[in-house]
Amino acid sequence: MKQPSRILRRAFLTGMASSAGLLLAGCSKTDPPTYGHVLRMGDLLTYKAHRLLLPAHSLAREYDYADISSVPAIGTTNPGDPSRSNMFSKEHGPIYERLLADRFADWRLQVEGSVARPRTFSLDELKSMPSRTQITRHTCEQGWSAISQWTGVPLRSILESAGVRSTARFVQFHAYDGWIDSIDMLDALHPQTILAYGMNGRDLPISHGAPLRARVETQLGYKSRKFLRRIVVTDHFDDHGRRGFIRNGWSWHAGI
Amino acid sequence: MSISSSQGHSRWVRICHWIAAASFMALALSGFYILMVHPRLYLGHVGNDLTPALLTLPISNNHRPDELQNEVVFTEMPGAPVTAERNFHIFNKNGWARSLHFLAAWILVGAGAIYLSFGVLSGHLKRHVLPRGRELAPRSLLQDLRNHFPPRVGPAGVGLPYGLLQKLTYTIVVLVVLPLMVATGLTMSPAVTAAYPILLDVFSGYQTARTIHFFGFTILALFLIVHVAMVIATGFGRQLRAMTWGSK
C-alpha cells in the first residue's frame, strides 16, 4: 500500500496547485469576481470548466410545435407596478408604465458601450430585421421547466450593426424592473441567443417581458432578462452592486 | 470474522471516505433546500406549477396553484397552453444552495475519481469490493441474507475483508448510484445538454432526470442510515478511529 499513497499525495498536490492557478485567474477583470468567497470560487470553477470542456456553439435542443407547454410567469410580472416587481425601479418603473400605455410606440432599445456606432432600435426596426424563431425549453433555477416558441432578432445581429470593438468581453442587459445582468461574448454571439419580441406566435405578453426580452438558451432562466431597455457592451466585468445578481448571492454563470 | 483477522483501511481509502462523507452531507443539505423551492417531481421534459405532477412533496408551501393570477390562454384550441402570474413570495435559498451543491459535487467527483483510480490500480476494487462470480450464485447470496436475519451484529473487525452484502452495497453505491447522480445532475444543466443532447434522450427529459436524481438521493440517504447504524452496532468509537487514523 506504500506506493499508491505516494501517488495519491502527488496527485493531490498537483490538483491543488492547478486549482489555485485557476482561482488566481479569477483576479483578472475579465472573469466574474470571487470576492474571496468559497462559493463564488466554486461558481468560477464551473464556469471555467464549461468554457474549457464544452464545445462553444452547440445548440440547445429545439422542440416541436406540439411540445409547447403552459408556462408560469414569475419574478417581475409588470415593472410599472411596484407590487408586481421584485426590484421596483423608481426611475424606470414609471417610464415603463407610460410606454406600456402607448403600446411601446415610444420604446427604444439603446445599444452602447464598447461599440463603434452606439444607436437605438424601435420595436418596428427590430421586427423588420431578419428574425429567428425557436421552440426551446425554459429551465428555471427553481426546478421547473416549460417549452415555448420565441421569435426575435439574434443578439449577434444587434451587436454587429452597432460594431462591437475587438476588446469587448461582456454584454449587459439593463431592464425596466431594475435588474442588470451580463453574459460573456461567447453566449452573446451564440446562434440561439436572441432578443425576443414574440412568444407562441403572439406579441410577448407583459408578464413575460414585453416588449423585448433576452433568450439565453444555454443558461438557466434568470439569465434571460425580461423588459429590456438598454444593452451595454463592456471590456471588463461589472457586478452592478445590488442591481446585479452576483452581489445578491447568485451565481453569475448559470449554465448548470 | 474475528477482530484479529481484519486488515484496517489504507490511507487513501480513509482520505477519500471523509472527503466523500463531508461533500455528501453538503450535497444532501443543499439538495434538500433546492428541492424545497419547487417540491414537485415530473416525467418528461416539462413540469411546472401549471402542469400535473408525478409527485408533490410536503416539504414547502411554494406550490400554490390557487394563488396564480391573470391566466391567459395562448391559442383558442382546446387544451392549449396557458400562462399565469405568480406574484406571491416563495421560499427560495437557491443562491447559496445551488452554489454549495455544485462546489460539493466537484469535490465529491474529485474524491470519487481518486478512489476509483487507486481502487483499480491497487487491485482493491477487484480483490475486496466487487463480489466474485461464485459469491453472486443464488445459494451464497441466500445464505448471506439468511445470516443477517435475525440481525446478530456484535463487535466485528474493522475494514477488510468486507462481507458479501457489504460488498454488493458498496458496489451499487459507488459504481451505479453515484455515477447515475452525476449523469442526471448534468442532464439538468442547459449548457451541458446543449453540448451533449444525448443525455436528454438517455433519461427521456430534463424532468425525468431530476426525478431520478431525487430517487437516487433517497437510495443514498437510506444507505447512509444503514451504514451509520452498522458502524454504531459494531463499535462506533473503534470503527471511527479505524476510518480516521487507520488503527485496527
Side-chain angles (χ1 to χ4, degrees):
Chain A
M1 281 297 113
K2 271 270 141 309
Q3 199 53 29
S5 305
R6 223 171 291 139
I7 298 171
L8 171 65
R9 205 171 306 132
R10 199 179 309 141
F12 185 68
L13 289 175
T14 323
M16 290 299 279
S18 52
S19 43
L22 199 68
L23 296 179
L24 279 177
C27 298
S28 84
K29 283 179 177 174
T30 49
D31 280 324
T34 63
Y35 315 104
H37 193 304
V38 67
L39 293 184
R40 299 286 86 86
M41 291 178 197
D43 293 343
L44 183 64
L45 174 64
T46 303
Y47 172 56
K48 290 282 176 182
H50 277 193
R51 287 293 175 258
L52 184 71
L53 300 174
L54 298 178
H57 277 173
S58 43
L59 299 181
R61 168 152 304 179
E62 299 200 9
Y63 294 85
D64 293 332
Y65 193 80
D67 296 325
I68 293 175
S69 75
S70 291
V71 50
I74 65 153
T76 300
T77 53
N78 183 346
D81 180 349
S83 69
R84 290 155 77 192
S85 169
N86 61 352
M87 206 187 247
F88 182 74
S89 158
K90 279 184 188 150
E91 189 188 351
H92 305 295
I95 298 175
Y96 184 85
E97 214 175 357
R98 278 201 300 280
L99 292 170
L100 173 61
D102 208 15
R103 303 188 66 187
F104 302 112
D106 293 328
W107 173 91
R108 294 289 181 278
L109 178 73
Q110 275 183 48
V111 181
E112 58 197 297
S114 197
V115 294
R117 299 174 295 278
R119 58 167 293 187
T120 62
F121 292 86
S122 71
L123 207 48
D124 285 339
E125 280 175 303
L126 290 174
K127 286 181 179 175
S128 68
M129 292 172 73
S131 71
R132 188 177 205 284
T133 293
Q134 57 203 33
I135 301 175
T136 50
R137 192 184 69 248
H138 182 91
T139 311
C140 183
E141 50 80 19
Q142 293 165 8
W144 58 265
S145 59
I147 293 174
S148 306
Q149 184 195 57
W150 306 99
T151 301
V153 185
L155 180 55
R156 177 191 280 265
S157 315
I158 303 283
L159 296 175
E160 277 168 359
S161 86
V164 174
R165 293 188 207 280
S166 59
T167 50
R169 296 293 299 270
F170 299 97
V171 176
Q172 301 173 350
F173 300 120
H174 295 244
Y176 279 102
D177 59 356
W179 286 104
I180 307 172
D181 202 0
S182 60
I183 55 176
D184 68 6
M185 206 43 91
L186 208 66
D187 275 335
L189 298 177
H190 189 278
Q192 287 170 320
T193 299
I194 63 172
L195 302 182
Y197 47 73
M199 180 183 185
N200 295 346
R202 340 164 125 199
D203 282 346
L204 191 62
I206 295 167
S207 62
H208 288 280
L212 192 74
R213 74 171 298 169
R215 288 300 313 165
V216 183
E217 306 294 359
T218 50
Q219 297 206 47
L220 293 175
Y222 70 87
K223 295 301 282 189
S224 294
R225 297 319 305 159
K226 307 198 279 189
F227 315 108
L228 297 183
R229 60 181 185 87
R230 194 167 159 234
I231 282 178
V232 182
V233 182
T234 64
D235 298 350
H236 299 300
F237 189 90
D238 186 344
D239 69 10
H240 302 293
R242 63 172 217 93
R243 291 284 175 194
F245 280 80
I246 189 166
R247 284 282 186 174
N248 283 292
W250 290 84
S251 174
W252 171 77
H253 176 66
I256 193 153
Chain B
M1 147 180 61
S2 73
I3 292 173
S4 53
S5 73
S6 61
Q7 279 180 30
H9 304 285
S10 36
R11 189 189 302 174
W12 61 271
V13 169
R14 286 180 271 131
I15 292 174
C16 290
H17 172 269
W18 285 119
I19 295 176
S23 41
F24 178 79
M25 293 317 286
L27 280 159
L29 177 82
S30 54
F32 190 79
Y33 270 91
I34 294 168
L35 190 61
M36 278 175 80
V37 177
H38 193 76
R40 307 181 87 212
L41 298 169
Y42 315 86
L43 295 178
H45 293 262
V46 162
N48 58 59
D49 284 325
L50 295 166
T51 66
L54 176 73
L55 197 63
T56 299
L57 301 162
I59 56 171
S60 77
N61 187 27
N62 278 3
H63 176 59
R64 282 125 75 180
D66 299 342
E67 293 177 44
L68 297 177
Q69 299 170 332
N70 306 328
E71 186 164 302
V72 179
V73 186
F74 277 108
T75 64
E76 302 305 319
M77 287 187 293
V82 300
T83 185
E85 298 172 17
R86 188 186 72 200
N87 289 314
F88 55 87
H89 202 73
I90 63 161
F91 170 88
N92 188 342
K93 299 284 173 217
N94 269 358
W96 66 261
R98 289 178 52 85
S99 293
L100 177 61
H101 204 71
F102 305 138
L103 178 64
W106 276 115
I107 296 170
L108 183 59
V109 166
I114 292 172
Y115 177 85
L116 288 179
S117 319
F118 274 85
V120 170
L121 291 178
S122 70
H124 171 77
L125 280 181
K126 198 175 166 199
R127 259 180 291 143
H128 307 300
V129 180
L130 296 175
R132 281 155 214 261
R134 62 173 183 280
E135 288 179 324
L136 287 173
R139 248 184 69 190
S140 67
L141 269 176
L142 264 176
Q143 186 56 46
D144 201 66
L145 262 177
R146 222 174 277 138
N147 289 345
H148 283 76
F149 294 99
R152 282 165 294 148
V153 277
V158 294
L160 303 169
Y162 300 140
L164 176 54
L165 280 192
Q166 200 177 6
K167 282 183 181 180
L168 264 178
T169 309
Y170 293 165
T171 301
I172 291 169
V173 165
V174 172
L175 295 182
V176 180
V177 184
L178 286 174
L180 192 67
M181 293 301 274
V182 174
T184 51
L186 289 173
T187 308
M188 286 186 261
S189 154
V192 172
T193 51
Y196 303 103
I198 189 173
L199 284 168
L200 287 170
D201 299 322
V202 167
F203 295 110
S204 71
Y206 162 85
Q207 290 293 353
T208 314
R210 182 170 171 265
T211 300
I212 295 172
H213 201 72
F214 170 75
F215 284 108
F217 160 72
T218 57
I219 290 172
L220 291 176
L222 279 175
F223 163 74
L224 181 68
I225 291 168
V226 174
H227 181 65
V228 171
M230 295 304 283
V231 167
I232 292 170
T234 56
F236 187 67
R238 205 163 47 87
Q239 293 282 19
L240 219 56
R241 275 194 302 280
M243 191 42 100
T244 312
W245 309 117
S247 58
K248 285 187 180 180

